[in-house]
Amino acid sequence: MEHVVIIGNGISGITAARHIRKLSDKKITVVSTETDYFFSRTALMYVYMGHMKFEHTQPYENWFWKKNRIELKKGFVQHVDTTTSSLHFSDNSILNYDKLIIATGSKPNKFGWPGQDLNGAQGLYSKQDLDMLEKNAPNNKVCKRAVIVGGGLIGIEMAEMLLTRDIPVTFLVREDSFWNGVLPAGESDMINRHIREHHIDLRLGVNLKEIKDDGNGNVKSIVIAETGEEIECNVVGLTAGVSPNIDFLKESAIETGRGIKVNRFLETNIKNVYAIGDCAEQHEGIGQRRPIEAVWYTGRMMGEALARTICGTPTKYNPGHWFNSAKFLDIEYQTYGWVWAQPKDGETNFYWEHADGNKCININFNKNTNKFIGINTFGIRMRHEIFDRWLTQEQTVDHVLTHLKDANFDPEFYSQYEKEIVAKYNSENNKQLKVKSKSWKRIFA
């Protein structure tokens, strides 16, 4: 019986295992050093915030794995020998494979800051990181202040977590405005205001110089590079992005760049060895996408595609139109298609912001053809399927705005803003568009 070994029990690896089992009777072994069972990584923050217990983050009961003949092995892979098709573990055990799937995900970036390995300096990615934060910041008596380094999605999540325990937070962001390498100026300014409204000490345009030791190996304070200011704290959240977790492959024959190099079928340069999820790097990005995508849903899609390939139906990874979602404290964010921090040649943006300063949309379109390219929405929920359809159909921005009610996914009795949005667009573009009523027939067409 062919033996498929999967290193990593995150969304990518487990999706591959589940779909291989659906399609075949192959022997499957999942290897992980993090936890015994698969859990939803995106839900970790809610465990710390008290909204759920850790076991609630596990989508499957513990008996699921044995019933579906998916063997689980807990251990740390130190070396992959592709000549003998074997994995070598830190406890000196060896596991042979016929096909190998590497799905080892990401690890938090560290940039050689003095003191970055002190007790209290940590990332927020793994279950171990969550356990460490519970130890380092159980309350505001033990942790009198936390400093978060890095202005991305993990950083804002960590800030929200600490606020639920009344722990003061200072946020160091290298850029001049929060996440302005991704968001256009209007949205970035909105998030700056929203962060400060939550009494977070947001410091823009600054870098971490060092983390100081209290003499016992614990965090005492941080120093800002530009000003030399020292801020006393007990926890330093290192959230300046992530990078592929592939250090254990350094001595292997598997080709790597920043991640593990793969083709559209997620095959590496070694026969019967594949890579999926955050650790996989396409030789060239697909469309406008980056070669490495550390996104939950793309990992799931890679797992499904690879399962079909391994089970005899070669299937290219095809992620379709870009989309993503996140939450900035109280403001929900969605993006469909492409909206750049700065419009590209031939493109322009239409921006609307509500008077309360917590809702906006930003639509990117071709200034010559009016072709709809993408949309960012903050504080207004939208239907993924509708925007995916409009992008595929290459609809115009006028069509999108006219039918905006079809895309709105806010619950019943929520305020509606489509007329106000379209009125602003008409005023700026000398148009006379009228918003059409929501049509369930169109929505489910």
Side-chain angles (χ1 to χ4, degrees), residues 136-145 165-168 234:
N136 293 330
N139 52 54
N140 57 14
K141 303 291 190 297
V142 173
C143 179
K144 300 185 186 307
R145 176 169 291 275
R165 301 200 182 184
D166 296 323
I167 295 171
N234 306 101

Side-chain angles (χ1 to χ4, degrees), residues 26-65:
K26 298 179 190 294
K27 181 179 180 181
I28 303 170
T29 301
V30 176
V31 177
S32 173
T33 189
E34 184 176 10
T35 56
D36 292 329
Y37 303 108
F38 168 59
F39 67 93
S40 176
R41 194 174 304 282
T42 55
L44 280 181
M45 64 183 293
Y46 299 108
V47 177
Y48 181 89
M49 293 165 70
H51 299 324
M52 58 174 63
K53 296 180 179 178
F54 178 71
E55 53 265 33
H56 299 155
T57 70
Q58 297 173 306
Y60 307 105
E61 299 289 349
N62 294 348
W63 51 258
F64 172 88
W65 310 102

Side-chain angles (χ1 to χ4, degrees), residues 48-274:
Y48 181 89
M49 293 165 70
H51 299 324
M52 58 174 63
K53 296 180 179 178
F54 178 71
E55 53 265 33
H56 299 155
T57 70
Q58 297 173 306
Y60 307 105
E61 299 289 349
N62 294 348
W63 51 258
F64 172 88
W65 310 102
K66 185 176 181 180
K67 179 181 178 181
N68 287 278
R69 292 173 290 118
I70 298 174
E71 297 181 19
L72 305 177
K73 175 178 174 59
K74 196 168 185 183
F76 180 76
V77 178
Q78 283 191 320
H79 176 62
V80 177
D81 188 335
T82 56
T83 303
T84 60
S85 298
S86 60
L87 306 183
H88 297 252
F89 291 82
S90 58
D91 62 1
N92 295 319
S93 63
I94 296 175
L95 180 67
N96 294 310
Y97 64 84
D98 296 305
K99 284 186 167 62
L100 175 65
I101 301 172
I102 304 172
T104 47
S106 299
K107 61 179 182 178
N109 287 331
K110 290 185 176 181
F111 295 101
W113 295 297
Q116 66 182 17
D117 296 318
L118 290 171
N119 296 325
Q122 64 163 98
L124 183 64
Y125 181 82
S126 67
K127 172 63 164 58
Q128 286 77 8
D129 290 334
L130 177 68
D131 294 340
M132 196 182 303
L133 188 64
E134 189 66 61
K135 176 183 176 182
N136 293 330
N139 52 54
N140 57 14
K141 303 291 190 297
V142 173
C143 179
K144 300 185 186 307
R145 176 169 291 275
V147 173
I148 297 173
V149 181
L153 298 179
I154 297 176
I156 198 71
E157 286 183 357
M158 193 173 190
E160 182 176 1
M161 292 164 67
L162 293 162
L163 289 181
T164 63
R165 301 200 182 184
D166 296 323
I167 295 171
V169 174
T170 295
F171 209 161
L172 305 187
V173 176
R174 178 180 61 182
E175 294 78 19
D176 293 331
S177 187
F178 186 87
W179 220 31
N180 66 355
V182 176
L183 298 177
E187 291 102 302
S188 182
D189 288 344
M190 172 186 289
I191 301 305
N192 290 340
R193 295 195 306 267
H194 191 64
I195 290 171
R196 288 176 169 136
E197 285 168 359
H198 282 74
H199 307 292
I200 294 172
D201 177 24
L202 177 63
R203 308 289 187 94
L204 298 171
V206 298
N207 290 273
L208 174 66
K209 179 181 179 181
E210 65 174 311
I211 305 170
K212 289 197 168 183
D213 191 332
D214 70 349
N216 296 307
N218 304 310
V219 168
K220 171 193 171 188
S221 62
I222 63 95
V223 177
I224 294 176
E226 287 74 12
T227 63
E229 179 184 357
E230 184 174 351
I231 301 175
E232 292 188 1
C233 58
N234 306 101
V235 166
V236 179
L238 302 177
T239 65
V242 295
S243 54
N245 182 24
I246 59 170
D247 290 346
F248 68 102
L249 297 176
K250 286 180 180 177
E251 304 302 321
S252 79
I254 299 169
E255 182 185 1
T256 61
R258 285 191 61 236
I260 303 166
K261 294 285 191 176
V262 295
N263 61 18
R264 294 290 191 266
F265 293 94
L266 305 165
E267 299 165 323
T268 70
N269 63 309
I270 304 296
K271 187 177 180 180
N272 295 324
V273 178
Y274 311 84

